[in-house]
Amino acid sequence: MRTLRTVTLNTGYDDYFTVGDPVWGGVAPMHAFQSVCSGKGISCARAAVALGVPTTAYALIGADDKADYSRRLTAEGIAHRLVSVAGGTRHNLTLIDAAGEKVAAHFMAQGYQLSGPDDVAPLIDTVLADVQPGDIVTLNGSTPTGLPATTWADLARAVLERGAEVIVDAQKDALLEALKVPGVLAFKPNDEEILAIPRVAAADPAERVAVALEVLAEAGTQLPLVSLGARGVATERGTASLPVSRPIQSVMAGDTFVAGLAWGRLSSADPTQWLRHALAAAAAHVEGLTGSRLGARARQNLPLARLP
């Protein structure tokens, strides 16, 4: 069975507080609290499970929190393989507007600080031992301090050598190194992250997205795209979108988009369909839906995607 395998090196807990209007220096009501396992690959795996995609999440985790983190993932139905690093796991903060009129605000804490590649080698060995031809492996998010910029690129090459496919959601130098790996299914930079590419940063601002698409195509990716946030996704053929009338949650929409790409790839060999599925899933997330409701809405959204 073809499986989506997500890889996360900077995990965390996302603590969600549903609040009234903040009153700096004063008191405001807090209506609800929820804490969930997070990290871009964990969020991608959660969405993929909701979409019905066979999924295993691979992640580093602070040794102090491994048992709790594993228990929580199991309770969510997310199959996982965790490898410990010293210390605890970060907590990120998300503030959600109780009135539903404002998009949530997200605050990121410091990720892991590692001593070098040996700290992540057991996780990489686990991924490579499990991956099978035809699987999709997503390399999600930032790499901890102390790891070389080639960490994602090296893993991408090894996965491709095993006959699996790769989606890269990386930033900064890690993105630049990964662009040197031919045959990646898709990258998912946004219109700010593309500025890490020197050729893009040097271009006229009005041309930067077009230049980024050229660079991605030259890198050999099968679906060159740049995320434009609420405006949709830029592709070589034009902008694709699926507007949401009442956005609730933009944080992690990109992770759900990546899950949707995998969902589409497992459903079709047509890159246009990968994009359709990705937009449908991300739009359901932006509506604030999770679990089975996200999966159901994503399927309803499929014919609504506006493709160039």
Side-chain angles (χ1 to χ4, degrees), residues 169-244:
D169 185 5
Q171 302 80 38
K172 300 180 181 178
D173 288 347
L175 170 62
L176 297 182
E177 292 296 332
L179 285 170
K180 299 175 184 178
V181 181
V184 170
L185 199 69
F187 294 87
K188 197 208 68 63
N190 62 32
D191 49 1
E192 292 185 1
E193 291 165 350
I194 59 174
L195 296 177
I197 304 171
R199 205 166 116 197
V200 174
D204 182 283
E207 300 297 324
R208 284 173 174 165
V209 170
V211 172
L213 291 171
E214 290 177 4
V215 171
L216 292 165
E218 291 167 6
T221 183
Q222 297 184 48
L223 178 59
L225 61 87
V226 175
S227 172
L228 304 176
R231 292 177 291 148
V233 178
T235 73
E236 293 179 298
R237 298 174 59 183
T239 300
S241 65
L242 206 170
V244 175

Side-chain angles (χ1 to χ4, degrees), residues 227-273:
S227 172
L228 304 176
R231 292 177 291 148
V233 178
T235 73
E236 293 179 298
R237 298 174 59 183
T239 300
S241 65
L242 206 170
V244 175
S245 59
R246 190 180 181 189
I248 299 296
Q249 174 72 286
S250 62
V251 175
M252 295 180 291
D255 305 331
T256 305
F257 182 92
V258 172
L261 278 177
W263 179 38
R265 177 65 186 98
L266 293 173
S267 303
S268 172
D270 179 2
T272 300
Q273 293 304 314

Side-chain angles (χ1 to χ4, degrees), residues 1-5 53-55 127-128 130-138 158-167 183 185 222 261-269 274:
M1 178 175 60
R2 299 177 68 189
T3 300
L4 170 62
R5 305 183 189 275
V53 175
T55 304
V127 174
L128 295 179
D130 288 354
V131 72
Q132 299 295 317
D135 286 350
I136 299 176
V137 178
T138 60
V159 167
L160 290 167
E161 288 171 359
R162 285 159 173 76
E165 297 180 306
V166 178
I167 298 172
L185 199 69
Q222 297 184 48
L261 278 177
W263 179 38
R265 177 65 186 98
L266 293 173
S267 303
S268 172
W274 312 347

